[in-house]
Structures are given as C-alpha cells and as structure tokens.
Amino acid sequence: MAKIWEGPVYLEPVEHVYIHRDTGIKYTSVTKVLSSVEPHFDSESIAEAIVNQSDDNKQERYIGMNKAQILDYWQMLNDNANEYGTYVHETIEEYLLNDKWFFPDNDLQKKVIEGYNSLNVDEGMNLWPERIMFSSDYQLAGTSDLIIDIDDVFFDVGDWKTNREFNFFNQFGYKTLLKPFEHLQDCQYSIYTLQLSTYALMYEMEFPHRKCRQIWIGYWDKETETMSKIPVMYLKSEAKKLLEHHKFQTQLMHG
C-alpha cells in the first residue's frame, strides 16, 4: 500500500529548499552536491562555437541562430523536459497513492500507467512515493521517487527518468567525474547510480536495521512511450564518500 511520508524534513516549494521542521536548518540537496562532482558544461562557449561553425558543418536547427538564440533554445528544451518529467512523476505518484483506482485524463497518462505496470514492480508491504531522504549529521536531503519496504528488513529504491537519451558511458571520449569520483565516467548512469545509492544509504542510516535489496530506474522512452527497468548497482562506499565530500566542502566554506 502506498503512503504519504511525513517526517522532520520538508521541501519548501517556493525556494525549493529542504528545511528541518524543528531546527529550521536548511539542508543541501543531493542533486546540488552531485553537480559539484560533474565537469562544468560551458554553455556560453559551446553556443559561441556553434555560431562560428560554417553552415555546412552546423546542425540544421542552429542555422541562422545567434548565440543568445541558441542559449534560449536550450533553456526552452530544458524547461519542456522538466515539465514533461514532472507530469510523468506526478501521474505515477497519483496512481499509487490512490491504490491504483485512477482514471487517466489523456492518452499519455494511460501509457505511463501501462508502463509502470509493465515493470512488474515488487511492491512489498509499503510504498513511499516521493519520499524525502535526509541525514541530519550531514545536513543533506533529497527526494526519492519511490522507496519500497519489501518486508521488515529489506527495501528497494526506484526512480523515474524521462530524459531523451540515457547514456551508460561518455560519448565524447573517456571523460570522468571530478575528484573523488574520477574512477567513474561522466555520464548519466554514473550520476544516477551515485544519486540513488546515496538515497539508499540515507535510508539505512535512518533505519539501521534495514538493508537495501536492490535499486532500479524506470526509464520512460518518449519516442516509443514505453517504460523499461534498468538495474543499478548499490555503490555504498561511493555514497558514503559523497557525504564526506559534502561535509569537507562545507567545512572549507565556513572556515
């Protein structure tokens, strides 16, 4: 059965900041910490390079665009992708919280629900959609799309991804994440693995008797409008390293 989680940390919707209810302390988001170990994407320089390309070598969609137009175009694509992803997330959340007693408003919702059901998810004894994970020791928080209490000990971590491409390696050569994760390629799979492993670790820290059984991603393909399950390794050591990296960087900033 799906349940709404209510705990000591909540997400303030306007500033999109995690805050502890009792102490008022603002927690850093896991996604922000992850961005600190990703190589910087210099959109300004790349857009300028595209402008300076000859039309023969330029992608057709960029022909006639100046730098500002290219940057605006990328922002529009990003905004549309975020809106689409939010819609998919909310559809699954509503479906589960209503005990699957749900009537789709349109064809996309219908296909998303069919996609979820095609995964044959082991729903265990409790489902927690959009469950906030947190660590008071590290003042870090994030929202897991789905935590499943399989039984009194084991749990699974599920996550929905809707991005246009899903890369398991860096397609521009062997480029890695920044220290201390230079042993991992700079690609979506590495970042998602770190993200979900961190959620699993924080759940184990919150409930020391619990153990992560498995982690998976439900990848929604926009083109085929189907969902597939992608297994993810539990990189517990790397997740612990991410927490320590965040703690060290915080201490540096505050002297």
Side-chain angles (χ1 to χ4, degrees):
M1 173 180 265
K3 300 178 180 179
I4 296 175
W5 181 80
E6 294 180 0
V9 176
Y10 70 97
L11 180 61
E12 198 284 312
V14 178
E15 294 185 25
H16 203 76
V17 174
Y18 292 98
I19 303 173
H20 196 285
R21 297 180 193 278
D22 299 328
T23 65
I25 294 174
K26 294 181 179 180
Y27 286 15
T28 305
S29 71
V30 171
T31 51
K32 184 175 182 179
V33 176
L34 286 170
S35 68
S36 73
V37 300
E38 289 184 87
H40 174 62
F41 177 73
D42 191 349
S43 56
E44 296 270 342
S45 297
I46 294 172
E48 192 167 336
I50 291 172
V51 170
N52 293 329
Q53 285 180 327
S54 67
D55 286 351
D56 291 338
N57 296 324
K58 193 178 294 183
Q59 289 186 28
E60 187 175 347
R61 58 182 170 172
Y62 296 128
I63 293 176
M65 284 189 183
N66 60 33
K67 179 180 173 181
Q69 289 170 328
I70 291 173
L71 292 171
D72 287 344
Y73 173 67
W74 286 346
Q75 186 61 54
M76 180 200 70
L77 290 178
N78 186 63
D79 291 344
N80 289 345
N82 288 338
E83 186 176 332
Y84 184 93
T86 298
Y87 190 73
V88 170
H89 279 70
E90 289 178 347
T91 296
I92 298 173
E93 180 185 11
E94 189 175 351
Y95 178 62
L96 294 177
L97 288 175
N98 283 284
D99 292 330
K100 302 182 180 179
W101 188 254
F102 178 79
F103 297 95
D105 291 331
N106 52 57
D107 196 47
L108 176 58
Q109 280 194 328
K110 181 181 177 182
K111 288 180 177 178
V112 168
I113 290 169
E114 288 174 351
Y116 170 80
N117 287 327
S118 74
L119 299 184
N120 296 315
V121 173
D122 183 348
E123 296 181 344
M125 66 179 192
N126 287 315
L127 294 169
W128 302 98
E130 300 300 310
R131 210 279 193 184
I132 292 179
M133 318 299 283
F134 67 96
S135 169
S136 295
D137 290 340
Y138 292 92
Q139 294 185 11
L140 196 66
T143 302
S144 175
D145 292 343
L146 188 63
I147 294 293
I148 307 171
D149 292 330
I150 298 301
D151 51 33
D152 290 330
V153 176
F154 293 102
F155 69 92
D156 293 353
V157 180
D159 199 80
W160 317 116
K161 299 299 182 189
T162 60
N163 39 302
R164 187 170 59 86
E165 294 181 347
F166 193 109
N167 295 320
F168 291 88
F169 61 95
N170 191 293
Q171 297 184 323
F172 301 99
Y174 187 71
K175 296 183 179 180
T176 69
L177 299 178
L178 305 178
K179 290 182 178 182
F181 302 104
E182 66 273 28
H183 58 293
L184 298 175
Q185 282 206 42
D186 176 23
C187 64
Q188 290 149 333
Y189 186 72
S190 294
I191 288 295
Y192 296 156
T193 301
L194 275 176
Q195 176 191 16
L196 302 183
S197 293
T198 301
Y199 292 160
L201 176 60
M202 289 198 288
Y203 202 53
E204 288 184 347
M205 292 167 68
E206 187 178 352
F207 301 103
H209 69 285
R210 289 196 172 278
K211 298 181 186 301
C212 179
R213 187 184 73 154
Q214 63 173 312
I215 303 173
W216 50 263
I217 289 170
Y219 175 62
W220 176 255
D221 189 318
K222 291 182 185 177
E223 299 298 321
T224 63
E225 293 189 318
T226 57
M227 190 172 283
S228 56
K229 185 184 283 187
I230 300 173
V232 174
M233 289 186 296
Y234 181 19
L235 298 184
K236 188 171 182 176
S237 296
E238 278 79 359
K240 178 68 173 177
K241 190 181 290 185
L242 188 73
L243 296 182
E244 292 295 338
H245 174 72
H246 166 63
K247 187 176 183 178
F248 178 70
Q249 293 298 321
T250 303
Q251 289 171 343
L252 281 181
M253 279 195 305
H254 296 296

